[in-house]
Amino acid sequence: MTDKRVLTIQDISCFGQCSLTVALPIISACGIETAVIPSAVLSTHTGGFTGFTCRDLAEDIPKIRDHWKEVGVKFDAVYTGYLGTPEMIADVISIMDDLGTEGSLNIVDPAMADGGVLYPAFDMVYVEEMKKLCAKADIILPNITEACMLTGMEYKEEYDEAYIDELLAKLSALGAETVILTGVGYKPGRTGVVVFENKEKSYYEHRRIEKGCHGTGDVYASTFVGALINGKDAFTSAKIAADYTVRCIEITKGDTEHWYGVKFEKAMPELISAIHAE
């Protein structure tokens, strides 16, 4: 049996439990060889910290790509998260083209917005470039805000199933075969994830924990990738990722000093059991 190898491209916040400091350990814990390309290095993430440092690594990405091409490195999946600049996206697309194995998967978390607004570093130029990356993807994992940015639909805090169906149709039209839309809730105290694949829609609903935590989107997407590359189908992977993310929040929410992320490490034994369950 040939072991699977995943490349993840996103920033590394040296402190703060998000992006690569979440993706690398979670996917590795799922038993998958994980390589990384940092898009930027930050002293901390930008949510709640001030005075953080940031070094953009965009100029290093094509050099890494060219070296890997030279030595014959290939990947069964490329998974992208927070990238940082519009110019970087063309290089990421070239990596997908040049370094994928036959039948490799391109998985894009268009990490750029939440709560109805873009993150401070981004503008609509970045959104337009992200559309190109989503068109290259086999699977995309937007939240509702990102879905609205990508499709031009109005962001709504309250919505019905028809609104979500329209979002899914327009997201699918971007080019990805599978859409995983997160943060979809129709009832008070409940939220969930919609999987739209082969024009079929499935919904997994779970408890909503009101206390938000930094990095949970990265925990979710990384867990989804780990489950999927282990051979789980998209819906099962989405369910495992949702359950694990909720569990990480539950473990963390009582610790007021741990406001900068979730204690995902504490729940890893449960994740590994879920990954290997029949």
Side-chain angles (χ1 to χ4, degrees):
M1 182 181 72
T2 301
D3 291 333
K4 299 293 186 180
R5 179 187 291 156
V6 169
L7 167 63
T8 181
I9 309 172
Q10 48 191 303
D11 76 279
I12 182 164
S13 294
C14 299
F15 182 84
Q17 293 177 305
C18 68
S19 303
L20 281 183
T21 58
V22 165
L24 177 58
I26 286 177
I27 301 172
S28 297
C30 292
I32 299 161
E33 180 183 349
T34 311
V36 303
I37 294 181
S39 58
V41 178
L42 295 87
S43 55
T44 66
H45 62 65
T46 60
F49 291 103
T50 58
F52 52 85
T53 67
C54 180
R55 180 177 294 276
D56 179 75
L57 298 178
E59 66 180 31
D60 294 289
I61 293 178
K63 298 174 185 177
I64 295 169
R65 176 201 62 209
D66 292 345
H67 181 223
W68 284 353
K69 284 178 65 177
E70 182 181 340
V71 299
V73 175
K74 295 282 187 177
F75 298 97
D76 299 290
V78 177
Y79 152 47
T80 68
Y82 187 105
L83 296 176
T85 64
E87 295 77 17
M88 197 176 291
I89 289 176
D91 287 324
V92 172
I93 290 173
S94 74
I95 286 170
M96 291 174 170
D97 287 335
D98 294 341
L99 301 181
T101 59
E102 184 177 352
S104 64
L105 290 174
N106 298 323
I107 305 166
V108 173
D109 176 6
M112 61 181 179
D114 201 6
V117 296
L118 287 167
Y119 295 150
F122 298 134
D123 57 20
M124 292 309 294
V125 173
Y126 186 84
V127 173
E128 290 303 312
E129 291 302 306
M130 182 55 68
K131 290 179 184 179
K132 298 176 185 178
L133 187 57
C134 289
K136 185 69 179 175
D138 299 292
I139 302 169
I140 58 174
L141 298 99
N143 59 35
I144 291 179
T145 300
E146 290 156 350
C148 290
M149 298 288 179
L150 290 167
T151 61
M153 284 184 59
E154 178 188 359
Y155 173 76
K156 294 182 179 181
E157 296 269 344
E158 297 181 5
Y159 45 80
D160 57 14
E161 193 170 354
Y163 174 80
I164 296 300
D165 288 346
E166 185 177 358
L167 264 182
L168 292 169
K170 290 185 175 181
L171 287 167
S172 182
L174 293 174
E177 293 181 2
T178 303
V179 176
I180 313 296
L181 184 60
T182 62
V184 179
Y186 300 112
K187 305 173 188 174
R190 307 292 291 176
T191 188
V193 54
V194 179
V195 177
F196 189 65
E197 187 174 39
N198 299 321
K199 301 189 184 303
E200 295 290 331
K201 181 181 66 172
S202 304
Y203 180 53
Y204 179 62
E205 184 183 71
H206 58 83
R207 183 165 65 93
R208 177 184 177 89
I209 301 176
E210 290 303 321
K211 174 178 166 41
C213 294
H214 296 291
T216 51
D218 300 326
V219 170
Y220 182 90
S222 301
T223 307
F224 175 87
V225 171
L228 189 77
I229 303 304
N230 267 287
K232 306 294 186 184
D233 60 59
F235 182 79
T236 302
S237 299
K239 179 182 182 299
I240 289 172
D243 290 343
Y244 178 61
T245 304
V246 169
R247 184 64 181 136
C248 293
I249 297 171
E250 288 175 340
I251 290 171
T252 309
K253 67 180 182 179
D255 187 345
T256 56
E257 294 184 2
H258 202 101
W259 55 267
Y260 48 82
V262 290
K263 300 180 182 182
F264 69 93
E265 304 92 343
K266 303 289 187 184
M268 271 192 173
E270 298 171 49
L271 169 61
I272 294 168
S273 294
I275 290 292
H276 296 293
E278 294 297 332

